[in-house]
Amino acid sequence: SQQGEEDPQALSIQEGENATMNCSYKTSINNLQWYRQNSGRGLVHLILIRSNEREKHSGRLRVTLDTSKKSSSLLITASRAADTASYFCAPSSGSRLTFGEGTQLTVNP
Amino acid sequence: EAGVAQSPRYKIIEKRQSVAFWCNPISGHATLYWYQQILGQGPKLLIQFQNNGVVDDSQLPKDRFSAERLKGVDSTLKIQPAKLEDSAVYLCASSPRIAGGGETQYFGPGTRLLVL
């Protein structure tokens, strides 16, 4: 399957620091999406990067995609306590999105 | 615009009982998804509808799970009979375009099921 695998499983940082999460996948993709899930809530779409794009920004988020290495990274700059959540990548090859186990980010005030 | 609505938010049942979940997607969204998310794991797709037709139900345990999307709008997911391992959050999502394009999905808040 096209499941993304996030790394690290857990990340704890101080408010104001940057947080970087990585995602690896196995086969070719059309796009890759990142989602956030706050505890007890549904997933919220953060950003979609297409296979012909290398980098994309949205506010404090920066996503990179390296199709040769089959990997993506999500950078959150100047983190806030409200960024505490699980982050999932979802590579897509035109069919279903397949989510990995996610990275649990904790931002300490 | 209103988001994806799900009910109930919480449900506690005993094993071997039946349970049903309801989802109302964002108005006009053609594709509807049901996911199962076990604690500590990512969501796993159970079934995907495009309008009122099933696109993908390969991971749906059909001996006990069923789902329908009559009239291509809202949907129900049923478990009959429930097992202990069905304890999870059941998430509904919708997307505006036809299935197969890897579109952005919009998720509801989920129904948390506990089977005792």
Side-chain angles (χ1 to χ4, degrees):
Chain A
S1 73
Q2 187 52 286
Q3 180 173 331
E5 295 184 10
E6 297 89 350
D7 174 70
Q9 286 187 319
L11 181 61
S12 181
I13 60 174
Q14 295 300 120
E15 208 164 25
E17 294 180 337
N18 296 342
T20 299
M21 289 158 270
N22 302 297
C23 170
S24 60
Y25 57 91
K26 290 187 168 54
T27 63
S28 61
I29 59 172
N30 293 338
N31 67 58
L32 186 143
Q33 303 180 36
W34 285 90
Y35 287 79
R36 183 189 75 225
Q37 185 177 36
N38 290 85
S39 180
R41 309 288 292 273
L43 278 74
V44 173
H45 178 260
L46 294 176
I47 200 163
L48 181 153
I49 186 165
R50 302 191 188 285
S51 59
N52 61 353
E53 297 176 307
R54 291 297 166 258
E55 188 170 313
K56 203 161 182 179
H57 296 254
S58 177
R60 293 183 296 111
L61 306 181
R62 172 177 167 252
V63 168
T64 61
L65 179 65
D66 186 335
T67 53
S68 66
K69 295 181 179 178
K70 294 186 171 53
S71 66
S72 174
S73 67
L74 170 66
L75 168 67
I76 304 174
T77 60
S79 63
R80 305 167 182 168
D83 294 328
T84 294
S86 293
Y87 291 81
F88 297 91
C89 71
S92 172
S93 55
S95 56
R96 70 172 82 115
L97 295 182
T98 308
F99 296 89
E101 308 270 310
T103 292
Q104 173 60 51
L105 173 66
T106 301
V107 181
N108 301 299
Chain B
E1 67 184 356
V4 176
Q6 289 188 246
S7 68
R9 291 296 312 276
Y10 305 92
K11 190 76 177 177
I12 300 174
I13 62 173
E14 306 223 334
K15 60 183 179 183
R16 291 189 288 274
Q17 285 186 323
S18 302
V19 64
F21 313 125
W22 175 81
C23 172
N24 191 22
I26 293 172
S27 177
H29 279 196
T31 310
L32 184 148
Y33 313 79
W34 282 103
Y35 290 87
Q36 179 193 59
Q37 186 176 24
I38 292 172
L39 186 64
Q41 299 182 16
K44 182 184 87 170
L45 180 70
L46 293 176
I47 189 167
Q48 179 179 343
F49 292 94
Q50 179 181 317
N51 297 313
N52 61 350
V54 175
V55 174
D56 184 351
D57 64 357
S58 58
Q59 300 188 105
L60 186 73
K62 298 180 187 61
D63 57 334
R64 298 184 300 106
F65 286 66
S66 64
E68 60 183 10
R69 191 185 182 196
L70 300 177
K71 302 180 183 177
V73 182
D74 56 352
S75 174
T76 56
L77 175 70
K78 296 179 182 177
I79 308 176
Q80 180 179 6
K83 292 185 176 182
L84 297 177
E85 59 260 36
D86 298 332
S87 294
V89 176
Y90 291 85
L91 295 164
C92 179
S94 68
S95 61
R97 286 181 287 277
I98 62 172
E103 311 81 9
T104 297
Q105 296 184 19
Y106 299 84
F107 283 79
T111 296
R112 189 175 297 271
L113 173 68
L114 179 59
V115 182
L116 301 176

